[in-house]
Amino acid sequence: MPPISEVSDEAELGALDFVRVQSKSLLLAGQGPLLRVYDHGTRRLLCSKRVFHTQSVHGITAHQLSEHSTETLLLIWGRRSVCVLQVRIGDDENSQDDFHLMIRDVIAETETEDWILDASFTSPRADGSRSDCSVIEAVLVTAHNVVLFLHALLNFSSNSTTCASIYQLATGPRSILYSAHIVWQDANKPGLVAAGTVYGEILYWSFRPDYATRFGHSRQPDAGVLHHTFEGHEGSVFGVRISKEVSDEHSGLPKRVLASCSDDRTIRIWDISSYLNDDSGDDSTKRLIKPAFGGNDGYIDQRSSPSIAIAMGHASRVWGLRFLWEANSNRYLLSFGEDSTAQVWRLFKQPITAGRQSNLNATTFLVLQNCAKHKFHSGKNIWACAVYQESVISNLVCTGGADGRIVCFNVHDPHVSPYGDGISSRWTFKEVLEDMSKACNPSEFEIVKIAAPRILSSIFIALEGSWKIFRNLDSAAPTYPSGSFEGTAIFEKRPPTNPKFEAEYLYLEDGKLTTQQGLSLVATRRYVYRLQKDTHAISSWFVKPDDRSTVDYLFHELNFSEIDGDQSKIGNIGNLVANGHHLCIDDDYRAEYGFLAREGTLAGWSLKYTVKGPKKDYIADAEYARDNWRSESKAEIDSNKSIGGESTEAILMKKKKNPGNLSKTDSFKAYTWINENVFLATTDLGWLLAGTLTDAKDHSALAGVDNSNSVSWEKIAKVDNLNGPCIATSICSHETAIFAASATIHIYLHGDKSIHSPIKVPGKIAYMASHLISKYPSLQSNTFEIGIVITCLGSSTTYLFFVDVDKKRSKCSVRRDVILSRSPSFAVTSSCLIDSRAVLILGSRNGSLAIYKSILREIPILPASRIDAIHSKDAITSIENLAPTPSPEAENDTICFLTTGRNGTYAIHQIHFDSSSSFGSIDFHTVHVATTPIGNIIEGSHFSPQTNHLFLWGFRSKHFVLWNESLKQEIIISECGGAHRNWAFFPPQQQEGKTGGNLVWTKASSCHVHTQRGDSHIVLQEGGHGREIKALAKSPGIIITTPRINSSRRRSSSSINGRNTSQSSTKSLSQETKRYLATGAEDTDIRIFDISSPSNSSSSSPFSFPRAGRMFNKCTNIISKHTTGLQALRWSRDSKYLFSAAGCDEFFVWRITPLPLREELGLQLGVVCEATAPTSEQNDLRVMDFDVKEDVFCPSDDDREGEDGKKYAISMAFSDSSVRIYNYNSKSRTFHLQFRGNYTTHCLTQALHLHNTNNILKHLLLTASTDGHVALWPFFSTPPRPGNNNNIISYKSRIQIHHSGIKSISCISLPESAAKLVVTGGDDGGLGILLLASSCFDPELKDNEDDDDQDGIEEPRKREQGEEEEEVILIPAAHAAAITAVIYLRSSPPSASAPSPYHFFATVSTDQRIKIWRIRAQRRDSSTAAAADGDDENDAKKGGVIVIEVDKVEEMDSLICDASAAAVVRYTPQQQENDDDYDDQGNGEEPQQQRQQHQQQLGDEENVVLVVTGIGVEFLSFFV
């Protein structure tokens, strides 16, 4: 069958766009030549279609035929190719989805005359009627600034494709473009083009859209009108974007701006509104474009127009821009670039200060402000971006990068936090006191029932006259000043202007505003206050701006609060409050009134405005007084105005005293969460406070707002000895908190808010942690047990208290305590209590672990084991139990736990111990060490029992980061100031597919709270490396053992800080053989992917194998240690080791351990860097290639992993033309240099061990170099004798194959002979074939004992007469460029008629072609040879001649640019996952007997999946 080629999810994204078909919002993604359609609401891939033959998709735009149409047209382009597709949603009874998506070709792939940069469908005509639905029209901008017109007829009744006519519509200034944006308006307005050139210029020009309808394609193209050439960028312009047309709020004229980004990393904004609205017809400033390449002559507008705003925020080049929403004078846009970040910008007007105004004519200038930075991609480059406007101030943004990842995230108003559905708030201690007062009352004041409506009339009457006013303005927006106002306010009585009202005042306010910058401004205000007749309601009204006295429209009504109360308990002094609300377009005004009275008189009043909006964000707090009211106490003032003489009935109020004598000078200390919505805070004066998160119904609506109502505060109690430094922890499942202050332990039960102090230790507490004991099966039980671990300053004793808690009886008692001894230098920083095994694990400040066994004994217990340098010498911050509880019946059991450290890593460890012995030996192994994008400080971990996901959190610079290690996804990022502060985090509890968490911390003496109920972003498609993949290696089969929990029998287990995990009392184990693919890239990372075929997959084919494009089931590991790009990767044959090489002489040995964890955890393989190869004096050497062979330097026996450990021969080829052969011992983890040698001055490129069937003590190393030669290096298995440079070897023979460097090599053993078939790929594009005779594998090496003067260097021996020579064939120009990979696929099974089988090889080249070659080497007998070639005595002696046949059997296009590596995966009908003995590079080096057995197992038909990597990954599936 022909090969099936698919690009994987790891390929670069070239284009993204949103399209709405009926009620479905779909995301279109162009990846390679494929179009993929996602439903971003359900995160499902709906379909994938190949739209181009080989060309990658660079752009997509959609066009819906009508508002309610079920059909949408897609215009897709890439380079010179363009096509049109039809997308339709229909019903399909056989489909399992709620709808069926159908895509068909309308216009097949068509090539244009030039590279396409942007395209757009045409818009409706001027009369409002849409073009005939059977007509497709579109415009395209090319790289030479030409607009092409595409025209075609669409027949809906036919499924056949339509031919399109493409011709030039208009030409712009001749130039070479990097970017362009075309805007088609309608027939009455010009089409607009913004073109970014390679010279840093931006050409803004237009063309007549009706020109296409008035003339045919045979006419000459229209000469466009150039409006301006914008100059200012210092590099090539990579992105331009024209904004939508928006009416300016001051001039009323249409307003457009142009945004551009460049190689100089700047983003610039240009004003183009004047060119849009200049309809005078004067051509003096708008001239027709004439051919003038790069000119700036009289035909180009000379009007000076610098950029109106400029900003720099990206760390490298900026590739593109998208405008988001626009509101009033604010515009928001998004930029993306090479640094793999997407950044949000806000363009707004900034008032000019007095000092700056002298240099500018205007009173305002535009500012481009960076609002948010999103980094959700790895490696380099975000290439694609799409924006979907969900609301007026919210956009859904989707980005796609070079890593193949597709990410969606919400971008809200710039005042809103950009991270997910987070709500943030900040609280000073003064604000906490005020909130607790409000918690006792409905408002800021304590209110009793008022006598309405008579009292309202009395208040209105008391307002008449003059008042002194003092107002403070606090503005967070730069467009609105902050300062203080002092003046006079007069309520001037006048006849009501509306018969519905009983009385009316004209409010006159005049005074002086002093800003924080020292400017003095005269300020006035005018309002009208009215008293309604029937309800006596008081209301405030705006006045018309022309006369400032006539009533315009309602501002707000005063709503007075009421509660029932006993007047006699308040006295005769009190307060009354009211509030009002007004929404002015986008600005929200909230008014709060407070009236102070004494014995029926109004002494003073206050008015506070809180204003929020896109342009405004300020608080205006004013106090009104008669005469010297501000200089006296409010409680002692008598006013001259009477409130109707109703002092006993008017009941105004009394200010509530400060609750519980809390002091405003107090400060926050420790925090802890007791459930998802409540946290506790201690203060410096010993108070215990509770903060409760408000339950907002629409959580996302409040996302990111600095919302003072997001937390309600409650005073619990003042606790003895709780003042000063404090340690807090909790058992969240039982809403219990534990506090340590001085030497006392306090336990808080949230149910009845009781505090108990059952523990006191002899010294100041340095560390404390609590753990829930898995004694009681129900989490809702009123009785439970807590294990509390405590250490004291200056003491080497660790205390473990077991406390029984009875929530129903409100009792806490110590059941027993255990004393543990430790080293004085072991400062405890973390702990984990596994009570089912009576094991306690402690972590220290210097990175050590102490493991205690049998902790239930009541005697001082020494640690059973201490392990140092777990996290280097940095503190261990958390310990988490991962594995299920071991079964008590097992004689030997394993505990698997995780540690995190402040060196930026987390590690997984296994403890094996004998359960039959109380003090049995402990076997400790670190099986996995990994870094995360969190940063250098990882503070905690949490294993979620709901999803089996592993969460890690810590600090990256000033940000707190929550990371999902199972999904390799960032959940929360919040700026908190860094790790050095008091903080507490409640980990995510996944519900309904959403994650999140709560964080509380102290910053600048204020309490900050951030809560999030969702992810910061959504990953629609997982990607891979963000750089070119240089190395590839396929593993043999690895047996993965995973536990399966019996859900019918569950009980809770111990956990960190009470975050328990459900565990089973019985467990079963399942085993599965999996294969993995390791990739190494220029981003210095190694990624390991699971490429195992799903065991339950169903397919109509005779066997099941991974669907092309989806072979990478999951990225299981990301390994970060190399400092330069990867060069080569190899697996050991037993899959226990992965070897990696890179530049700077880096060579690492990675130990691979299958982890006995649940598959959902995402941690299938444990990876630890076990050893590093010795480096040379020249650390800049590059390990170009290497090969690994087991048991070379020791004879193989049955006990290979005995006392001496397993040995690996590692041969390395270096860039300085040297060779080193090491012997690596897996037990001692050491490298021993066995042999070394030098080639010539040419760089070695390949290294390959050749199997010697003649003598197991003699081996051969094959190297290739940049001179086009291969060299054979023989060496012995026995190590050289020390001294006299006996470890120096030299090559035996040097054979030329290519005329330039050899880039790839593959070798197999021929089953019919002892010869080797070597196939090479050269930098010259040639394919080389070398047949090595058996004589090459029996080298006549000099005996070191007989000839010490030769220093172990052998001399090439002379070939004897009749001895076979090497056969070399070079097929020149096999590819048009360098062959970077040669892969052995398989051999045809031998038969009686064809004893010499065919061998199939695949070659991969940078010319983006893949070719399949069939090679056969057969010997002709002497008679046949004599008849063909004449009588040859030598041929007769050799028994004939060897003839090499080479045929090219298949050729196909590759979708991968810069292909650099390849591997092969085989699937057979008999065995879906065949653990063949071929190595990961496609070499068939194996004994002949094993090979014949393998061929018999394969049968006649085998499916081969060829994996090609470069910039992305491609899979080709075919039969051979």
Side-chain angles (χ1 to χ4, degrees), residues 519-719:
L519 297 178
S520 296
L521 304 174
V522 177
T524 62
R525 284 189 179 184
R526 298 292 186 269
Y527 297 106
V528 171
Y529 280 84
R530 289 172 163 179
L531 180 67
Q532 197 164 344
K533 282 185 177 180
D534 48 357
T535 62
H536 291 263
I538 301 175
S539 56
S540 177
W541 298 72
F542 288 107
V543 296
K544 292 184 177 181
D546 50 359
D547 60 3
R548 308 198 67 184
S549 62
T550 305
V551 177
D552 194 357
Y553 58 94
L554 178 66
F555 186 13
H556 60 263
E557 289 187 355
L558 279 69
N559 301 311
F560 287 85
S561 303
E562 300 183 22
I563 65 170
D564 293 327
D566 187 357
Q567 177 186 350
S568 62
K569 293 182 180 180
I570 303 176
N572 60 352
I573 301 177
N575 294 295
L576 188 67
V577 297
N579 58 72
H581 176 255
H582 176 74
L583 181 62
C584 182
I585 307 177
D586 294 328
D587 299 328
D588 184 79
Y589 289 80
R590 296 189 180 273
E592 298 178 41
Y593 290 83
F595 299 96
L596 178 67
R598 181 184 179 222
E599 296 186 359
T601 61
L602 185 62
W605 61 287
S606 63
L607 175 56
K608 179 181 178 181
Y609 284 109
T610 303
V611 184
K612 296 280 186 179
K615 298 169 53 180
K616 300 177 181 179
D617 185 4
Y618 68 87
I619 297 175
D621 197 353
E623 294 180 354
Y624 295 80
R626 303 283 193 186
D627 299 331
N628 61 346
W629 177 72
R630 281 177 58 88
S631 62
E632 300 180 16
S633 174
K634 293 183 180 181
E636 300 297 330
I637 293 178
D638 291 325
S639 176
N640 295 327
K641 288 288 181 180
S642 173
I643 307 183
E646 305 280 350
S647 60
T648 56
E649 181 182 13
I651 325 168
L652 292 177
M653 325 183 19
K654 172 182 179 184
K655 181 92 174 176
K656 181 174 179 63
K657 294 182 180 180
N658 192 1
N661 297 323
L662 287 170
S663 173
K664 295 181 180 180
T665 60
D666 206 347
S667 59
F668 300 99
K669 286 299 178 183
Y671 303 99
T672 187
W673 292 87
I674 57 175
N675 59 42
E676 188 177 6
N677 298 314
V678 180
F679 66 91
L680 300 177
T682 65
T683 72
D684 196 34
L685 298 180
W687 285 96
L688 181 61
L689 309 177
T692 303
L693 304 180
T694 57
D695 187 13
K697 293 182 179 180
D698 186 6
H699 192 88
S700 61
L702 301 175
V705 179
D706 190 6
N707 189 353
S708 61
N709 295 324
S710 61
V711 179
S712 61
W713 292 87
E714 179 184 2
K715 180 194 67 174
I716 302 299
K718 187 172 184 180
V719 184

Side-chain angles (χ1 to χ4, degrees), residues 118 145 179-183 191-197 200-206 225-233 237-246 254-262 266-276 305-311 320-323 326 331-334 347 366 368:
D118 194 29
N145 212 12
S179 58
H181 184 214
I182 185 169
V183 176
L192 306 177
V193 178
T197 71
E201 301 172 334
I202 302 171
L203 307 175
Y204 179 62
W205 60 286
S206 62
V225 177
L226 177 66
H227 298 284
H228 199 86
T229 301
F230 295 106
E231 298 178 348
H233 282 294
V237 180
F238 294 130
V240 288
R241 208 71 182 176
I242 302 173
S243 72
K244 294 181 180 179
E245 185 177 351
V246 178
K255 183 76 172 179
R256 278 191 193 272
V257 295
L258 188 151
S260 62
C261 58
S262 168
T266 64
I267 298 171
R268 296 174 183 259
I269 307 297
W270 317 83
D271 188 0
I272 58 174
S273 59
S274 59
Y275 311 115
L276 179 65
S305 180
S307 58
I308 59 176
I310 181 173
L321 300 156
R322 294 293 184 273
F323 278 97
E326 304 182 7
R331 286 182 172 85
Y332 310 102
L333 65 149
L334 183 95
L347 181 66
L366 292 179
L368 192 60

Side-chain angles (χ1 to χ4, degrees), residues 1437-1448:
K1437 290 181 179 180
K1438 291 185 290 184
V1441 296
I1442 295 179
V1443 178
I1444 299 177
E1445 300 177 5
V1446 182
D1447 296 313
K1448 183 178 68 176

Side-chain angles (χ1 to χ4, degrees), residues 323-454:
F323 278 97
L324 303 176
W325 66 91
E326 304 182 7
N328 297 327
S329 60
N330 294 330
R331 286 182 172 85
Y332 310 102
L333 65 149
L334 183 95
S335 62
F336 53 94
E338 189 179 21
D339 60 357
S340 70
T341 65
Q343 303 187 24
V344 181
W345 303 84
R346 174 186 174 219
L347 181 66
F348 64 97
K349 292 183 178 180
Q350 173 71 52
I352 298 178
T353 61
R356 188 169 181 175
Q357 190 170 353
S358 59
N359 299 326
L360 299 172
N361 295 326
T363 59
T364 61
F365 68 98
L366 292 179
V367 175
L368 192 60
Q369 181 186 48
N370 192 298
C371 302
K373 181 183 293 186
H374 304 270
K375 185 173 177 60
F376 301 134
H377 295 269
S378 61
K380 294 174 63 176
N381 297 316
I382 294 179
W383 293 121
C385 180
V387 177
Y388 179 74
Q389 188 162 354
E390 294 182 314
S391 65
V392 178
I393 57 172
S394 177
N395 289 98
L396 178 64
V397 176
C398 184
T399 58
D403 58 355
R405 204 178 208 202
I406 301 178
V407 175
C408 292
F409 56 95
N410 286 303
V411 177
H412 303 280
D413 187 277
H415 295 91
V416 175
S417 171
Y419 306 110
D421 295 331
I423 296 179
S424 299
S425 60
R426 181 183 68 90
W427 295 84
T428 64
F429 211 85
K430 178 182 177 181
E431 292 171 338
V432 172
L433 296 180
E434 293 175 354
D435 184 78
M436 285 191 290
S437 297
K438 295 178 182 179
C440 300
N441 308 280
S443 66
E444 186 183 358
F445 302 93
E446 185 179 3
I447 304 170
V448 293
K449 188 172 175 104
I450 63 175
R454 189 164 21 177

Side-chain angles (χ1 to χ4, degrees), residues 1381-1399:
V1382 177
I1383 300 297
Y1384 168 74
L1385 299 178
R1386 61 158 291 181
S1387 299
S1388 62
S1391 62
S1393 59
S1396 299
Y1398 286 102
H1399 310 285

Side-chain angles (χ1 to χ4, degrees), residues 1247-1324:
L1248 182 64
H1249 283 142
L1250 298 183
H1251 183 75
N1252 187 2
T1253 59
N1254 300 331
N1255 191 337
I1256 63 173
L1257 298 180
K1258 296 179 181 180
H1259 301 274
L1260 207 64
L1261 174 67
L1262 180 68
T1263 62
S1265 64
T1266 55
D1267 61 357
H1269 289 69
V1270 295
L1272 299 175
W1273 305 72
F1275 62 93
F1276 279 113
S1277 296
T1278 56
R1281 184 163 49 88
N1284 295 329
N1285 294 325
N1286 287 322
N1287 64 342
I1288 297 178
I1289 61 173
S1290 63
Y1291 57 88
K1292 172 191 173 185
S1293 60
R1294 183 166 167 257
I1295 307 166
Q1296 183 174 3
I1297 301 178
H1298 295 269
H1299 301 292
S1300 58
I1302 297 176
K1303 304 282 288 186
S1304 55
I1305 191 168
S1306 182
C1307 177
I1308 64 169
S1309 298
L1310 297 180
E1312 65 276 9
S1313 66
K1316 305 290 182 182
L1317 181 64
V1318 180
V1319 182
T1320 60
D1323 206 9
D1324 54 2

Side-chain angles (χ1 to χ4, degrees), residues 811-1005:
K811 284 186 177 182
C812 296
S813 59
V814 178
R815 183 167 59 88
R816 69 178 186 274
D817 59 272
V818 179
I819 299 176
L820 309 172
S821 300
R822 56 183 171 83
S823 171
S825 62
F826 192 97
V828 180
T829 56
S830 56
S831 62
C832 178
L833 177 60
I834 307 176
D835 63 292
S836 60
R837 303 305 304 173
V839 173
L840 175 66
I841 307 172
L842 300 180
S844 74
R845 186 175 298 159
N846 59 5
S848 300
L849 280 177
I851 302 171
Y852 295 84
K853 194 171 181 292
S854 301
I855 57 176
L856 302 182
R857 300 171 63 92
E858 297 181 356
I859 61 173
I861 300 175
L862 296 174
S865 179
R866 172 172 172 171
I867 302 95
D868 296 325
I870 294 298
H871 290 274
S872 185
K873 293 185 179 181
D874 294 288
I876 298 176
T877 55
S878 71
I879 307 174
E880 182 90 9
N881 183 25
L882 290 179
T885 304
S887 57
E889 301 85 3
E891 296 181 359
N892 294 284
D893 254 317
T894 301
I895 293 177
C896 189
F897 64 95
L898 178 144
T899 61
T900 61
R902 287 185 179 159
N903 64 340
T905 65
Y906 77 92
I908 297 177
H909 318 274
Q910 287 182 346
I911 302 176
H912 304 271
F913 57 89
D914 187 359
S915 60
S916 62
S917 175
S918 299
F919 294 97
S921 61
I922 292 180
D923 188 12
F924 177 88
H925 296 280
T926 298
V927 296
H928 183 63
V929 178
T931 60
T932 68
I934 292 177
N936 293 329
I937 302 178
I938 303 178
E939 289 288 349
S941 61
H942 171 60
F943 173 69
S944 173
Q946 290 84 3
T947 60
N948 290 321
H949 285 181
L950 176 63
F951 295 91
L952 303 170
W953 58 85
F955 294 89
R956 182 197 305 149
S957 184
K958 295 182 179 181
H959 293 83
F960 176 87
V961 179
L962 174 65
W963 174 261
N964 187 327
E965 177 64 11
S966 300
L967 299 179
K968 304 294 188 294
Q969 181 174 334
E970 186 179 88
I971 306 300
I972 294 177
I973 178 169
S974 178
E975 184 176 357
C976 63
H980 302 289
R981 63 198 64 254
N982 293 324
W983 61 277
F985 177 67
F986 186 85
Q989 306 295 317
Q990 279 209 356
Q991 295 178 355
E992 298 180 358
K994 288 190 175 183
T995 60
N998 303 327
L999 176 68
V1000 56
W1001 72 95
T1002 300
K1003 181 180 178 182
S1005 301

